[in-house]
Amino acid sequence: MNDMRIIPKNTKVKMTFYKSVTIPDIIIGFIGLVLVAIALSSNLAFRALIGGAIFVAFVPLYITINGDRLYLVVAYFFKHLICKKKYSKAKGEIEDVIPYQSVNADGIIELKDLRFAGVVEVSPVDFRMLDDFSQAQMMDTGLARVLNSIAVGQEIDVVKIERPLILDNFMADEMQRVIDVIDSSERRELTKLEYEARVDVIQDRMLTIEAMNNDDKILYSRYYLVFHSGSQKELSSLMYRTVATLQNAGVGARVLNQKELAAFIRYNTDSDFDERVLTKAKNYRPFFMPKELKFGFASTVQDGKVLTHFVINNYPLRVCNGWGEGLFDLPNTKVVMKVNPVEKYKAVRRIDNAILELQTQTLKNRASDEIEKDTHLQSLQDLLVNLQNENDVLFDVTVIVTAYDEKGKNVVKKQVRRRLREMGFGFNEMIGRQKDVYLTSQICTTDKVKLSRGIPTSSLAAVFPFVSNAIVDDKGLLIGENKLPVFVDFNKRDDSHLSSNMIVLGKPGSGKSYACKSIIAHLASCNTRVFVLDPESEYGKLCQNFGGKVLDVSSGKFGKINPFHIIQSEDDENSDGTSNDYFAHLQFLEEFYRVVLPGINSDSLELLNKLTQELYEKKGITAYTKLKGYSAEQYPTFDDLAYLIDERRENETDEYNRGCLKVLTNYISKFRRGGRYSNLWNGATSFNPRENFVVFDFQKLLSNKNNIVANAQMLLIVKWLENEVVKNRDYNQRYRVSRKLVVAVDEAHLFIDEKYPIALDFLASLAKRIRKYEGMLITITQSVKDVAGTPEIARKSQALIDVCQYSLIFSLSPNDMKDLCELYSRAGQINEAEQNYIMHNKRGTAFFISSPQSRTNIDIVTSDFVEKLF
């Protein structure tokens, strides 16, 4: 469980005389008594009545509203009456309430008070999903160090604004995908049906993106650190040090450039702004200000929207890591946290005075008052100890939450008020002080509200509001949603994205099949070759709608794969001239024999391996043979092997060897002509589908419980697929394109056999090979126990997960969590919070891991058009 942090009670304790009576209270009371005395001593006919009325009028002035005495609210009211309340951009009046002078080419905001501001955007993370160590690293070695680097005279603001999701780049990416499909069609790599199916899916995605980009705009939170300094040089140095500090702590950050600063300033005013208009702008200054501004008594009207300001004046005493998430991520709001460091000696003196004042205060004889006083004293004493003995710095913190409502509505205002109370925050709505709070909420060092709270570094760093579960990869495909639409670029490559491989886990009915079909449909539309190993006949409809081919692997109707056909690779030759592929294929055949010849004794198997090598020699194939250009008919077959065994048996004089050869004759008989497996594997390779979406249907094999043949067919198909991976790379080099290749293995647990875990070996081998050629392996299974059963299978499964960049984990039962955690022990682990999400996720929601730092829940959502394809 996260350690709780303390936000001390107010360090600016007002001087009181008796029962919380302050100096201003005494002054107002004195004025009231003087007025009463004057009335009573006057010659007026109703002097007693007048004196009583004055007394009655003054008593309510001590009522507290939002932390202010009523007499202050009355004073603010009269101040509001005499102040200017309406400002117009057309008349040049708004200049008076806008602090910005310009943004220069160095990425610095020049303010009217001759100071400078620079902005660093912070990339949010799904903080809830991190373990305690990772959270502490981001707070204490990241944000805390940034805060402590702020010198006296400088200031840092933590700002959250809402901006519309701009998807122009995604539209351009989709257009490029259409062009790629057209190019493939022109090279006759796609049939008319294949071409039309892919273009239709891309266009459907474009319609969805277009709607989100223009018609149904999506607002989302973005987070910034704003630095203020009197020196532009110091400011630049501070910003770049901040970026390095945060990145070292695992938090993404970057300094905004000139145009981005102009957009940032405008979005502080208007979330409906379209930043694309800045592209052609030469002068950014006109964008800094709203058109109309009117300060009311309890709210502000800005360009037709009603702004309600909430200034936090009370905090929970104890807060957990990331306590600012709920505060900053309130929808339809802007949040500004202004942070000013206090010199150490001033901070110590302030706290000393506050402690002394509390100790001398006289309270009512109520237990609640005594408890509150003791708590206040204890929090201040703890703060004093930390300031003197730890590396803490005291900061004066002012938090302003601005709620935006449409005219005539106060929905957001009510929601914010309710949520703040639920979270334990007190607030002042600044009645009569709308202009003061509006000016303070701007990106400047102005503070006209004077409602700050002293908070030390350790507690302030724990605010860590940079929280989001959004996944919006550039060039990504739209596969679902969480807080935002989820765009995933499975081909992304950087320090934390090393491959495209993905594993999908989930119990039956959790939604994993729907998710996989949706993702595969989108991948197939992107000029990608797709191959699916399908044990349940689930992908046939999707394949046919993409103009693909479904191959029943229980027969040789659609072509055979000759197990003796040696598949060639590029770096085949060893230094001594021998062939890597030759020796690798001999090893493959030994494993193939182990699968298809269960129960064969070791001596007979070893003799078979020797005969296999002799079989190749009879065909003129040795370790030194150059296989390039060899046709399928030049390789040996099971008939050739059977003839060789018969020949050797007739000539063998050793009784033991004759016995082994007799065993081989019996075993091989089912593969030679007339044998029950001859239709599958006896003959030259004729299996060569040209379609770009191919499904290998294993249903009949598995329904007949013939796991031996199923595993053997899978071995051959995976071996064939490895060759397709290499051929795809050659295709890309020849045409200078980037066509991808995806292999999906559905219900992979059905291919995993404790006696013959060879299929799992080949999956792990394919996963390693395919990532080197920018292909993608998707491994789908419903049973964690089957991939984490025996220690040997668990070890091999671990090797497969280690080369998977992405994990899509749907709901699992509590019994599966232990096995899951063991499987992911070396792959980032699954912490307690993540386990809880996984166990309680609803159908269609998955825990998605795309990198060590990006781990969150997503809802798999697809359009009606794509859903009808499968």
Side-chain angles (χ1 to χ4, degrees), residues 489-518:
D489 178 11
F490 292 103
N491 301 309
K492 185 177 183 179
R493 294 292 182 274
D494 55 29
D495 291 342
S496 57
H497 295 81
L498 306 179
S499 80
S500 301
N501 297 335
M502 179 167 70
I503 186 164
V504 183
L505 298 167
K507 64 185 180 183
S510 59
K512 68 179 185 302
S513 294
Y514 178 93
C516 292
K517 290 173 187 176
S518 175

PDB file of all heavy atoms in Angstrom, residues 489-518:
ATOM      1  N   ASP A 489       0.516   1.755 -32.750  1.00  0.00           N
ATOM      2  CA  ASP A 489       1.415   1.494 -33.870  1.00  0.00           C
ATOM      3  C   ASP A 489       2.216   0.246 -33.534  1.00  0.00           C
ATOM      4  O   ASP A 489       3.208   0.305 -32.792  1.00  0.00           O
ATOM      5  CB  ASP A 489       2.339   2.692 -34.096  1.00  0.00           C
ATOM      6  CG  ASP A 489       3.324   2.451 -35.235  1.00  0.00           C
ATOM      7  OD1 ASP A 489       3.147   1.451 -35.971  1.00  0.00           O
ATOM      8  OD2 ASP A 489       4.267   3.251 -35.388  1.00  0.00           O
ATOM      9  N   PHE A 490       1.786  -0.894 -34.055  1.00  0.00           N
ATOM     10  CA  PHE A 490       2.464  -2.152 -33.757  1.00  0.00           C
ATOM     11  C   PHE A 490       3.844  -2.234 -34.405  1.00  0.00           C
ATOM     12  O   PHE A 490       4.620  -3.130 -34.083  1.00  0.00           O
ATOM     13  CB  PHE A 490       1.609  -3.332 -34.221  1.00  0.00           C
ATOM     14  CG  PHE A 490       0.342  -3.507 -33.435  1.00  0.00           C
ATOM     15  CD1 PHE A 490      -0.885  -3.113 -33.942  1.00  0.00           C
ATOM     16  CD2 PHE A 490       0.376  -4.057 -32.167  1.00  0.00           C
ATOM     17  CE1 PHE A 490      -2.053  -3.266 -33.220  1.00  0.00           C
ATOM     18  CE2 PHE A 490      -0.789  -4.220 -31.427  1.00  0.00           C
ATOM     19  CZ  PHE A 490      -2.013  -3.821 -31.954  1.00  0.00           C
ATOM     20  N   ASN A 491       4.139  -1.316 -35.316  1.00  0.00           N
ATOM     21  CA  ASN A 491       5.450  -1.312 -35.981  1.00  0.00           C
ATOM     22  C   ASN A 491       6.392  -0.271 -35.401  1.00  0.00           C
ATOM     23  O   ASN A 491       7.444   0.000 -35.960  1.00  0.00           O
ATOM     24  CB  ASN A 491       5.266  -1.060 -37.481  1.00  0.00           C
ATOM     25  CG  ASN A 491       4.398  -2.114 -38.130  1.00  0.00           C
ATOM     26  OD1 ASN A 491       4.634  -3.310 -37.963  1.00  0.00           O
ATOM     27  ND2 ASN A 491       3.353  -1.690 -38.833  1.00  0.00           N
ATOM     28  N   LYS A 492       6.013   0.313 -34.285  1.00  0.00           N
ATOM     29  CA  LYS A 492       6.836   1.342 -33.642  1.00  0.00           C
ATOM     30  C   LYS A 492       8.144   0.734 -33.159  1.00  0.00           C
ATOM     31  O   LYS A 492       8.179  -0.366 -32.610  1.00  0.00           O
ATOM     32  CB  LYS A 492       6.058   1.935 -32.461  1.00  0.00           C
ATOM     33  CG  LYS A 492       6.719   3.098 -31.764  1.00  0.00           C
ATOM     34  CD  LYS A 492       5.780   3.624 -30.672  1.00  0.00           C
ATOM     35  CE  LYS A 492       6.344   4.845 -29.988  1.00  0.00           C
ATOM     36  NZ  LYS A 492       5.402   5.355 -28.959  1.00  0.00           N
ATOM     37  N   ARG A 493       9.226   1.475 -33.374  1.00  0.00           N
ATOM     38  CA  ARG A 493      10.534   1.029 -32.925  1.00  0.00           C
ATOM     39  C   ARG A 493      11.259   2.170 -32.217  1.00  0.00           C
ATOM     40  O   ARG A 493      11.463   3.229 -32.780  1.00  0.00           O
ATOM     41  CB  ARG A 493      11.391   0.540 -34.105  1.00  0.00           C
ATOM     42  CG  ARG A 493      10.885  -0.718 -34.785  1.00  0.00           C
ATOM     43  CD  ARG A 493      11.003  -1.937 -33.889  1.00  0.00           C
ATOM     44  NE  ARG A 493      10.550  -3.137 -34.567  1.00  0.00           N
ATOM     45  CZ  ARG A 493       9.288  -3.549 -34.602  1.00  0.00           C
ATOM     46  NH1 ARG A 493       8.354  -2.856 -33.970  1.00  0.00           N
ATOM     47  NH2 ARG A 493       8.962  -4.641 -35.243  1.00  0.00           N
ATOM     48  N   ASP A 494      11.611   1.939 -30.963  1.00  0.00           N
ATOM     49  CA  ASP A 494      12.441   2.862 -30.209  1.00  0.00           C
ATOM     50  C   ASP A 494      13.060   2.068 -29.070  1.00  0.00           C
ATOM     51  O   ASP A 494      13.035   0.833 -29.083  1.00  0.00           O
ATOM     52  CB  ASP A 494      11.651   4.081 -29.705  1.00  0.00           C
ATOM     53  CG  ASP A 494      10.423   3.692 -28.882  1.00  0.00           C
ATOM     54  OD1 ASP A 494      10.445   2.616 -28.230  1.00  0.00           O
ATOM     55  OD2 ASP A 494       9.437   4.436 -28.893  1.00  0.00           O
ATOM     56  N   ASP A 495      13.608   2.753 -28.078  1.00  0.00           N
ATOM     57  CA  ASP A 495      14.310   2.055 -26.993  1.00  0.00           C
ATOM     58  C   ASP A 495      13.405   1.121 -26.206  1.00  0.00           C
ATOM     59  O   ASP A 495      13.876   0.150 -25.608  1.00  0.00           O
ATOM     60  CB  ASP A 495      14.942   3.079 -26.037  1.00  0.00           C
ATOM     61  CG  ASP A 495      16.087   3.835 -26.678  1.00  0.00           C
ATOM     62  OD1 ASP A 495      16.598   3.338 -27.703  1.00  0.00           O
ATOM     63  OD2 ASP A 495      16.448   4.917 -26.175  1.00  0.00           O
ATOM     64  N   SER A 496      12.111   1.400 -26.166  1.00  0.00           N
ATOM     65  CA  SER A 496      11.193   0.559 -25.386  1.00  0.00           C
ATOM     66  C   SER A 496      10.224  -0.238 -26.257  1.00  0.00           C
ATOM     67  O   SER A 496       9.355  -0.928 -25.735  1.00  0.00           O
ATOM     68  CB  SER A 496      10.401   1.430 -24.396  1.00  0.00           C
ATOM     69  OG  SER A 496       9.694   2.445 -25.064  1.00  0.00           O
ATOM     70  N   HIS A 497      10.350  -0.142 -27.585  1.00  0.00           N
ATOM     71  CA  HIS A 497       9.502  -0.921 -28.502  1.00  0.00           C
ATOM     72  C   HIS A 497      10.428  -1.655 -29.478  1.00  0.00           C
ATOM     73  O   HIS A 497      10.878  -1.095 -30.468  1.00  0.00           O
ATOM     74  CB  HIS A 497       8.537  -0.011 -29.267  1.00  0.00           C
ATOM     75  CG  HIS A 497       7.527   0.664 -28.396  1.00  0.00           C
ATOM     76  ND1 HIS A 497       7.808   1.796 -27.676  1.00  0.00           N
ATOM     77  CD2 HIS A 497       6.226   0.355 -28.125  1.00  0.00           C
ATOM     78  CE1 HIS A 497       6.726   2.167 -27.001  1.00  0.00           C
ATOM     79  NE2 HIS A 497       5.769   1.309 -27.246  1.00  0.00           N
ATOM     80  N   LEU A 498      10.686  -2.916 -29.170  1.00  0.00           N
ATOM     81  CA  LEU A 498      11.707  -3.670 -29.895  1.00  0.00           C
ATOM     82  C   LEU A 498      11.140  -4.665 -30.887  1.00  0.00           C
ATOM     83  O   LEU A 498      11.884  -5.204 -31.709  1.00  0.00           O
ATOM     84  CB  LEU A 498      12.614  -4.402 -28.891  1.00  0.00           C
ATOM     85  CG  LEU A 498      13.255  -3.515 -27.816  1.00  0.00           C
ATOM     86  CD1 LEU A 498      14.094  -4.363 -26.870  1.00  0.00           C
ATOM     87  CD2 LEU A 498      14.111  -2.430 -28.451  1.00  0.00           C
ATOM     88  N   SER A 499       9.857  -4.951 -30.813  1.00  0.00           N
ATOM     89  CA  SER A 499       9.255  -5.897 -31.757  1.00  0.00           C
ATOM     90  C   SER A 499       7.774  -5.596 -31.884  1.00  0.00           C
ATOM     91  O   SER A 499       7.240  -4.694 -31.222  1.00  0.00           O
ATOM     92  CB  SER A 499       9.463  -7.348 -31.284  1.00  0.00           C
ATOM     93  OG  SER A 499       8.528  -7.689 -30.278  1.00  0.00           O
ATOM     94  N   SER A 500       7.102  -6.369 -32.744  1.00  0.00           N
ATOM     95  CA  SER A 500       5.657  -6.218 -32.922  1.00  0.00           C
ATOM     96  C   SER A 500       4.879  -7.379 -32.327  1.00  0.00           C
ATOM     97  O   SER A 500       3.648  -7.390 -32.377  1.00  0.00           O
ATOM     98  CB  SER A 500       5.332  -6.108 -34.420  1.00  0.00           C
ATOM     99  OG  SER A 500       5.983  -5.018 -35.009  1.00  0.00           O
ATOM    100  N   ASN A 501       5.566  -8.363 -31.780  1.00  0.00           N
ATOM    101  CA  ASN A 501       4.907  -9.575 -31.302  1.00  0.00           C
ATOM    102  C   ASN A 501       3.933  -9.281 -30.160  1.00  0.00           C
ATOM    103  O   ASN A 501       4.180  -8.414 -29.324  1.00  0.00           O
ATOM    104  CB  ASN A 501       5.948 -10.595 -30.830  1.00  0.00           C
ATOM    105  CG  ASN A 501       6.847 -11.045 -31.957  1.00  0.00           C
ATOM    106  OD1 ASN A 501       6.461 -10.994 -33.123  1.00  0.00           O
ATOM    107  ND2 ASN A 501       8.054 -11.470 -31.622  1.00  0.00           N
ATOM    108  N   MET A 502       2.850 -10.054 -30.138  1.00  0.00           N
ATOM    109  CA  MET A 502       1.828  -9.851 -29.111  1.00  0.00           C
ATOM    110  C   MET A 502       1.297 -11.182 -28.619  1.00  0.00           C
ATOM    111  O   MET A 502       1.129 -12.117 -29.396  1.00  0.00           O
ATOM    112  CB  MET A 502       0.672  -9.008 -29.665  1.00  0.00           C
ATOM    113  CG  MET A 502      -0.455  -8.766 -28.663  1.00  0.00           C
ATOM    114  SD  MET A 502      -1.625  -7.486 -29.186  1.00  0.00           S
ATOM    115  CE  MET A 502      -2.436  -8.311 -30.552  1.00  0.00           C
ATOM    116  N   ILE A 503       1.043 -11.258 -27.320  1.00  0.00           N
ATOM    117  CA  ILE A 503       0.383 -12.420 -26.744  1.00  0.00           C
ATOM    118  C   ILE A 503      -0.968 -11.968 -26.212  1.00  0.00           C
ATOM    119  O   ILE A 503      -1.093 -10.883 -25.631  1.00  0.00           O
ATOM    120  CB  ILE A 503       1.229 -13.073 -25.627  1.00  0.00           C
ATOM    121  CG1 ILE A 503       0.559 -14.370 -25.158  1.00  0.00           C
ATOM    122  CG2 ILE A 503       1.484 -12.129 -24.462  1.00  0.00           C
ATOM    123  CD1 ILE A 503       1.472 -15.273 -24.350  1.00  0.00           C
ATOM    124  N   VAL A 504      -1.996 -12.776 -26.441  1.00  0.00           N
ATOM    125  CA  VAL A 504      -3.362 -12.457 -26.018  1.00  0.00           C
ATOM    126  C   VAL A 504      -3.835 -13.572 -25.101  1.00  0.00           C
ATOM    127  O   VAL A 504      -3.863 -14.743 -25.487  1.00  0.00           O
ATOM    128  CB  VAL A 504      -4.311 -12.320 -27.228  1.00  0.00           C
ATOM    129  CG1 VAL A 504      -5.706 -11.920 -26.758  1.00  0.00           C
ATOM    130  CG2 VAL A 504      -3.769 -11.307 -28.228  1.00  0.00           C
ATOM    131  N   LEU A 505      -4.205 -13.199 -23.871  1.00  0.00           N
ATOM    132  CA  LEU A 505      -4.660 -14.160 -22.872  1.00  0.00           C
ATOM    133  C   LEU A 505      -6.057 -13.786 -22.401  1.00  0.00           C
ATOM    134  O   LEU A 505      -6.406 -12.608 -22.342  1.00  0.00           O
ATOM    135  CB  LEU A 505      -3.719 -14.166 -21.663  1.00  0.00           C
ATOM    136  CG  LEU A 505      -2.256 -14.576 -21.912  1.00  0.00           C
ATOM    137  CD1 LEU A 505      -1.406 -14.231 -20.696  1.00  0.00           C
ATOM    138  CD2 LEU A 505      -2.165 -16.062 -22.205  1.00  0.00           C
ATOM    139  N   GLY A 506      -6.847 -14.765 -22.030  1.00  0.00           N
ATOM    140  CA  GLY A 506      -8.184 -14.472 -21.511  1.00  0.00           C
ATOM    141  C   GLY A 506      -9.027 -15.725 -21.419  1.00  0.00           C
ATOM    142  O   GLY A 506      -8.917 -16.632 -22.256  1.00  0.00           O
ATOM    143  N   LYS A 507      -9.855 -15.781 -20.405  1.00  0.00           N
ATOM    144  CA  LYS A 507     -10.722 -16.947 -20.239  1.00  0.00           C
ATOM    145  C   LYS A 507     -11.826 -16.927 -21.303  1.00  0.00           C
ATOM    146  O   LYS A 507     -12.095 -15.879 -21.913  1.00  0.00           O
ATOM    147  CB  LYS A 507     -11.323 -16.962 -18.840  1.00  0.00           C
ATOM    148  CG  LYS A 507     -12.250 -15.793 -18.524  1.00  0.00           C
ATOM    149  CD  LYS A 507     -12.694 -15.828 -17.060  1.00  0.00           C
ATOM    150  CE  LYS A 507     -13.612 -14.651 -16.744  1.00  0.00           C
ATOM    151  NZ  LYS A 507     -14.002 -14.629 -15.324  1.00  0.00           N
ATOM    152  N   PRO A 508     -12.479 -18.064 -21.557  1.00  0.00           N
ATOM    153  CA  PRO A 508     -13.559 -18.096 -22.553  1.00  0.00           C
ATOM    154  C   PRO A 508     -14.643 -17.073 -22.231  1.00  0.00           C
ATOM    155  O   PRO A 508     -15.039 -16.909 -21.082  1.00  0.00           O
ATOM    156  CB  PRO A 508     -14.094 -19.534 -22.439  1.00  0.00           C
ATOM    157  CG  PRO A 508     -12.949 -20.323 -21.893  1.00  0.00           C
ATOM    158  CD  PRO A 508     -12.213 -19.405 -20.972  1.00  0.00           C
ATOM    159  N   GLY A 509     -15.096 -16.372 -23.260  1.00  0.00           N
ATOM    160  CA  GLY A 509     -16.148 -15.387 -23.070  1.00  0.00           C
ATOM    161  C   GLY A 509     -15.657 -14.026 -22.635  1.00  0.00           C
ATOM    162  O   GLY A 509     -16.458 -13.120 -22.390  1.00  0.00           O
ATOM    163  N   SER A 510     -14.340 -13.824 -22.551  1.00  0.00           N
ATOM    164  CA  SER A 510     -13.809 -12.545 -22.088  1.00  0.00           C
ATOM    165  C   SER A 510     -13.714 -11.513 -23.210  1.00  0.00           C
ATOM    166  O   SER A 510     -13.519 -10.326 -22.951  1.00  0.00           O
ATOM    167  CB  SER A 510     -12.422 -12.741 -21.457  1.00  0.00           C
ATOM    168  OG  SER A 510     -11.521 -13.308 -22.397  1.00  0.00           O
ATOM    169  N   GLY A 511     -13.843 -11.970 -24.470  1.00  0.00           N
ATOM    170  CA  GLY A 511     -13.817 -11.038 -25.590  1.00  0.00           C
ATOM    171  C   GLY A 511     -12.537 -11.054 -26.399  1.00  0.00           C
ATOM    172  O   GLY A 511     -12.350 -10.224 -27.291  1.00  0.00           O
ATOM    173  N   LYS A 512     -11.664 -12.041 -26.141  1.00  0.00           N
ATOM    174  CA  LYS A 512     -10.378 -12.030 -26.835  1.00  0.00           C
ATOM    175  C   LYS A 512     -10.518 -12.370 -28.321  1.00  0.00           C
ATOM    176  O   LYS A 512      -9.788 -11.814 -29.154  1.00  0.00           O
ATOM    177  CB  LYS A 512      -9.384 -12.970 -26.160  1.00  0.00           C
ATOM    178  CG  LYS A 512      -9.687 -14.445 -26.254  1.00  0.00           C
ATOM    179  CD  LYS A 512      -8.627 -15.267 -25.562  1.00  0.00           C
ATOM    180  CE  LYS A 512      -8.880 -16.748 -25.757  1.00  0.00           C
ATOM    181  NZ  LYS A 512     -10.206 -17.172 -25.270  1.00  0.00           N
ATOM    182  N   SER A 513     -11.437 -13.261 -28.697  1.00  0.00           N
ATOM    183  CA  SER A 513     -11.612 -13.596 -30.111  1.00  0.00           C
ATOM    184  C   SER A 513     -12.109 -12.387 -30.900  1.00  0.00           C
ATOM    185  O   SER A 513     -11.611 -12.097 -32.002  1.00  0.00           O
ATOM    186  CB  SER A 513     -12.593 -14.758 -30.267  1.00  0.00           C
ATOM    187  OG  SER A 513     -12.060 -15.943 -29.720  1.00  0.00           O
ATOM    188  N   TYR A 514     -13.067 -11.676 -30.335  1.00  0.00           N
ATOM    189  CA  TYR A 514     -13.573 -10.453 -30.975  1.00  0.00           C
ATOM    190  C   TYR A 514     -12.437  -9.460 -31.167  1.00  0.00           C
ATOM    191  O   TYR A 514     -12.277  -8.863 -32.235  1.00  0.00           O
ATOM    192  CB  TYR A 514     -14.672  -9.851 -30.100  1.00  0.00           C
ATOM    193  CG  TYR A 514     -15.260  -8.557 -30.612  1.00  0.00           C
ATOM    194  CD1 TYR A 514     -16.394  -8.561 -31.402  1.00  0.00           C
ATOM    195  CD2 TYR A 514     -14.683  -7.337 -30.292  1.00  0.00           C
ATOM    196  CE1 TYR A 514     -16.948  -7.366 -31.860  1.00  0.00           C
ATOM    197  CE2 TYR A 514     -15.210  -6.138 -30.746  1.00  0.00           C
ATOM    198  CZ  TYR A 514     -16.352  -6.161 -31.534  1.00  0.00           C
ATOM    199  OH  TYR A 514     -16.886  -4.981 -31.992  1.00  0.00           O
ATOM    200  N   ALA A 515     -11.624  -9.288 -30.121  1.00  0.00           N
ATOM    201  CA  ALA A 515     -10.521  -8.328 -30.189  1.00  0.00           C
ATOM    202  C   ALA A 515      -9.512  -8.725 -31.263  1.00  0.00           C
ATOM    203  O   ALA A 515      -9.068  -7.888 -32.047  1.00  0.00           O
ATOM    204  CB  ALA A 515      -9.835  -8.233 -28.830  1.00  0.00           C
ATOM    205  N   CYS A 516      -9.161 -10.006 -31.292  1.00  0.00           N
ATOM    206  CA  CYS A 516      -8.145 -10.463 -32.244  1.00  0.00           C
ATOM    207  C   CYS A 516      -8.635 -10.343 -33.683  1.00  0.00           C
ATOM    208  O   CYS A 516      -7.879  -9.930 -34.569  1.00  0.00           O
ATOM    209  CB  CYS A 516      -7.737 -11.896 -31.928  1.00  0.00           C
ATOM    210  SG  CYS A 516      -6.845 -12.050 -30.366  1.00  0.00           S
ATOM    211  N   LYS A 517      -9.888 -10.679 -33.922  1.00  0.00           N
ATOM    212  CA  LYS A 517     -10.423 -10.545 -35.284  1.00  0.00           C
ATOM    213  C   LYS A 517     -10.446  -9.084 -35.709  1.00  0.00           C
ATOM    214  O   LYS A 517     -10.124  -8.760 -36.859  1.00  0.00           O
ATOM    215  CB  LYS A 517     -11.833 -11.142 -35.349  1.00  0.00           C
ATOM    216  CG  LYS A 517     -11.866 -12.656 -35.227  1.00  0.00           C
ATOM    217  CD  LYS A 517     -13.306 -13.160 -35.125  1.00  0.00           C
ATOM    218  CE  LYS A 517     -13.345 -14.654 -34.833  1.00  0.00           C
ATOM    219  NZ  LYS A 517     -14.725 -15.141 -34.641  1.00  0.00           N
ATOM    220  N   SER A 518     -10.816  -8.226 -34.785  1.00  0.00           N
ATOM    221  CA  SER A 518     -10.841  -6.795 -35.100  1.00  0.00           C
ATOM    222  C   SER A 518      -9.447  -6.274 -35.425  1.00  0.00           C
ATOM    223  O   SER A 518      -9.234  -5.592 -36.429  1.00  0.00           O
ATOM    224  CB  SER A 518     -11.433  -6.018 -33.918  1.00  0.00           C
ATOM    225  OG  SER A 518     -11.370  -4.630 -34.152  1.00  0.00           O
TER     226      SER A 518
END
